[in-house]
């Protein structure tokens, strides 16, 4: 790791003045002193903004991806990717060329190899920001929702995702998970997390939210959102509620299309709004927009990201939110359907957005905003409002005081034993037992020691865990069983099904990991064929909990929901199956009958236990 560059060397007098404004003890919110402190800090930040060139001001509005594990010395393949997509070689050149206010990390961009590397990358990014004409630290962000959306993997602590926490039902656990996750991100130099998901998932067919939501009850989701916001932000990381005004009732993925939400204004207020109101009341640092059309909120049918009535009229004025508003990624099809890439960032700013996230072509987007300001379509005063919000957030996070992190801080915080133990305890309280014919579970090692584990092996959300069948078999082996793993995939072929049936011969039980089973899925055929052998079959839904409805009549003996296929949740499910932990989870969403979707097969709150 490079030696930390002196703050005195990098901060100019103006930036140091801003740092001084942020260094005192904060007054209690709502007090006269707090108002005075904010006015004083704002005056200093406005002087900093006044020093910026127009190009620097425009840059502060953008949060951009960049390839590479290092800010200045990425691998050649990453240099090539950066040159092809952005026209720069590395993160430092991106910052010096476009003056971007933020960088977003992705595993696929090779930003998150290991904790020390991530910390070094973050420090390199901050050095580049403070080396500019007007030194300003950067917001470094990522999507660390946990569960099925996770950019930083092991050895960092991986925690249950939103719906799993919803099944656990403990706001204390939700807050603890946020606190742990926030502390580890902060130690890595990641200071803005795009979590929690505040969508209320009322549509089982939702292809993009699902288990990323805490559940289907607005009040329960609101409580969990509040807990997570407080957890994250208590650790010094900006939390982001998403996706406003609510992405929970759609059957279209906004990555690939433009969803339309048919809720009335009253339905929106009752169903979608409560978690966002709760986030605002909890002091949320940032809110992410959704690339969805809600005609009842804006009859123009512009996506919410580009809607002045939704972002300014409702979010700013009705909900009273004055924090940072960040778009969802601007490369997603949902925001590109109606307008070209050069119009999208301009319309987003006019709608009330502050941060423009990951445009597909930064040069096009950056110049579009620059030209819009020069032409008067967007006033300079308008973008300065957004810059002030962004700089306030950077000040609150202490980035003007010291934006750097250390390897020692990483080692003291990331993946430490107490965090890993807490993750295990929380995960155990989320596993949900939905069926248990003949009280097969807990599975006795005396009568059911020899196990076969088959099923889907989706890629690890973080790239560092799994595969699920191997993880489950390993967990059972550690618990004293003899377990064999066989990956059969999400669409098992007849040959693979026959292989699984042959492997089941002589086994005492079979555990099948299912993944989003549909009416025509050959996963149903797999479960039926295994059950027909006479060996007891235990199904474990490793993503959406709705699988059990599609497995009716297949002959399984027991069925559980884990809500994700990360190791922490799979190991917890194994402990529940083995009776080392009680199945305490309760469904946070209803499971409808496959043959009669208007009827609930299992209602919200359903879940079996071993004690009853």
């Amino acid at each position: 790791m490079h030696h930390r560059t002196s703050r005195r060397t990098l901060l100019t007098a103006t930036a140091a003045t801003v740092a001084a404004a942020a260094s005192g003890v904060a007054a209690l919110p709502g007090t006269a002193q707090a108002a005075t402190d904010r006015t004083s800090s704002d005056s200093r930040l406005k002087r900093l903004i006044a020093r910026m060139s127009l190009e620097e001001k425009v840059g502060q509005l953008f949060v951009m991806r960049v390839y590479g594990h290092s800010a200045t010395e990425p691998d050649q393949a990453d240099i090539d990717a950066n040159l092809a997509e952005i026209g720069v070689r590395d993160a430092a050149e991106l910052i010096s060329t476009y003056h971007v206010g933020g960088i977003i990390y992705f595993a696929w961009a090779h930003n998150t190899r290991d904790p020390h590397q991530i910390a070094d990358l973050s420090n390199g990014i901050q050095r580049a920001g403070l080396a500019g004409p007007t030194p300003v630290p950067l917001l470094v962000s990522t999507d660390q929702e946990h569960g099925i959306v996770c950019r930083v993997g092991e050895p960092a602590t991986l925690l249950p995702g939103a719906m799993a926490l919803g099944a656990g039902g403990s706001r204390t656990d939700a807050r603890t998970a946020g606190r742990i996750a926030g502390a580890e991100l902060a130690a890595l130099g990641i200071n803005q997390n795009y979590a929690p998901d505040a969508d209320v998932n009322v549509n089982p067919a939702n292809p993009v939210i699902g288990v990323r939501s805490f559940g289907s009850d607005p009040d329960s989701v609101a409580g969990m959102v509040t807990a997570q916001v407080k957890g994250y932000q208590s650790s010094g990381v900006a939390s982001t509620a998403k996706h406003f005004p609510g992405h929970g009732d759609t059957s279209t993925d906004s990555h690939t299309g433009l969803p339309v939400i048919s809720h009335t204004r009253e339905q929106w207020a009752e169903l979608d709004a409560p978690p966002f109101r709760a986030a605002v009341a909890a002091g949320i640092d940032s809110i992410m927009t959704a690339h969805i059309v809600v005609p009842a909120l804006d009859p123009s049918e512009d996506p919410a990201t580009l809607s002045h009535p939704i972002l300014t009229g409702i979010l700013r004025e009705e909900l009273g939110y004055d924090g940072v508003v960040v778009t969802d990624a601007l490369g997603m099809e949902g925001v590109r359907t109606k307008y070209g890439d050069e119009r999208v960032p301009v319309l987003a700013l006019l709608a009330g957005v502050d941060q423009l996230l990951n445009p597909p072509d930064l040069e096009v987007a950056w110049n579009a905003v620059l030209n819009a300001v020069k032409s008067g379509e967007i006033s300079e005063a308008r973008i300065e409002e957004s810059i002030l919000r962004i700089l306030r957030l950077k000040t609150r996070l202490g980035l003007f005081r010291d934006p750097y992190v250390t390897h020692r801080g990483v080692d003291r915080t990331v993946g430490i034993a107490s965090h890993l133990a807490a993750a295990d305890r929380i995960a155990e309280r989320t596993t949900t037992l939905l069926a248990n014919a003949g009280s097969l579970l807990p599975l006795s090692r005396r009568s059911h020691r020899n196990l076969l584990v088959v099923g889907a092996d989706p890629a690890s959300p973080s790239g560092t865990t799994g595969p699920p069948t191997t993880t489950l078999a390993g967990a059972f082996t550690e618990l004293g069983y003899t377990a064999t793993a066989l990956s059969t995939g999400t669409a098992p072929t007849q040959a693979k099904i026959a292989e699984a049936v042959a492997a089941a011969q002589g086994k005492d039980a079979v555990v099948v990991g299912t993944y989003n089973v549909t009416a025509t899925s050959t996963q149903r055929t797999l479960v039926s064929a295994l059950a027909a052998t006479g060996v007891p079959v235990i199904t474990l839904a490793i993503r959406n909990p709705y699988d059990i409805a599609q497995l009716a009549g297949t002959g399984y003996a027991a069925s559980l929901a884990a809500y994700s296929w990360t190791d922490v949740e799979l190991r917890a499910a194994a402990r529940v199956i083995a009776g080392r932990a009680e199945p305490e989870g309760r469904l946070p969403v209803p499971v409808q009958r496959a043959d009669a979707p208007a009827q609930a097969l299992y209602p919200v709150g359903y879940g079996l236990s071993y004690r009853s």
Side-chain angles (χ1 to χ4, degrees), residues 119-132:
D120 291 345
L121 173 60
S122 299
N123 286 342
I125 285 169
Q126 298 298 357
R127 278 193 291 271
L130 294 177

Side-chain angles (χ1 to χ4, degrees), residues 171 205 254 257 388 445 513 550 552 593:
R171 296 182 185 181
S254 52
L388 180 59
R445 280 184 298 165
Q550 298 293 348
R593 291 173 54 122

Side-chain angles (χ1 to χ4, degrees), residues 59-100:
Q60 278 295 305
L61 306 172
F62 283 92
V63 180
M64 190 60 185
R65 70 189 179 279
V66 65
Y67 291 88
H69 71 286
S70 164
T72 54
E73 298 176 351
D75 295 339
Q76 187 60 49
D78 292 322
I79 293 174
D80 295 342
N82 286 326
L83 288 170
E85 292 187 18
I86 314 172
V88 300
R89 293 174 56 85
D90 52 40
E93 189 175 335
L94 167 66
I95 294 163
S96 65
T97 302
Y98 289 102
H99 316 291
V100 294

Side-chain angles (χ1 to χ4, degrees), residues 475-527:
F476 282 119
T477 298
E478 290 180 9
L479 292 169
Y481 299 84
T482 301
T484 304
L486 173 63
S487 178
T488 50
T490 57
T493 62
Q494 281 301 124
K496 187 58 71 173
I497 292 171
E499 183 182 355
V501 167
Q505 301 301 319
K507 297 294 189 292
D508 298 321
V510 181
V511 179
V512 184
T514 64
Y515 182 96
N516 292 4
V517 182
T518 64
T520 59
S521 173
T522 54
Q523 292 180 74
R524 294 186 77 256
T525 311
L526 172 68
V527 173

Side-chain angles (χ1 to χ4, degrees), residues 261-340:
I261 305 292
S262 60
H263 293 176
T264 65
R265 187 68 159 77
E266 293 73 23
Q267 286 173 324
W268 173 81
E270 181 180 349
L271 181 67
D272 300 293
F276 292 101
R277 290 188 186 277
V280 172
I284 187 80
D285 281 323
S286 48
I287 290 178
M288 180 178 284
T289 68
H291 304 326
I292 58 173
V293 168
V294 189
L297 304 184
D298 182 356
S300 75
E301 300 195 1
D302 280 344
T305 299
L306 311 180
S307 170
H308 189 274
I310 291 175
L311 298 187
T312 297
I314 296 177
L315 182 56
R316 295 286 192 207
E317 296 172 0
E318 182 180 322
L319 270 61
Y321 179 65
D322 192 36
V324 171
V325 174
V326 56
T327 69
D328 206 343
L330 296 182
M332 294 167 60
E333 192 60 31
V335 78
R336 304 172 77 189
T337 298
K338 192 172 179 181
Y339 301 99

Side-chain angles (χ1 to χ4, degrees), residues 29 175 196 221-234 237-241 274-287 319-321 396:
R175 183 166 182 164
V221 173
M224 288 291 180
V225 166
T226 297
Q228 287 248 282
V229 169
K230 291 180 177 178
Y232 282 120
Q233 294 185 182
S234 70
V237 166
S239 182
T240 308
F276 292 101
R277 290 188 186 277
V280 172
I284 187 80
D285 281 323
S286 48
I287 290 178
L319 270 61
Y321 179 65
R396 282 202 301 279

Side-chain angles (χ1 to χ4, degrees), residues 18 88 177 223 283 434 450 517 549:
V18 175
V88 300
L434 298 174
N450 195 4
V517 182

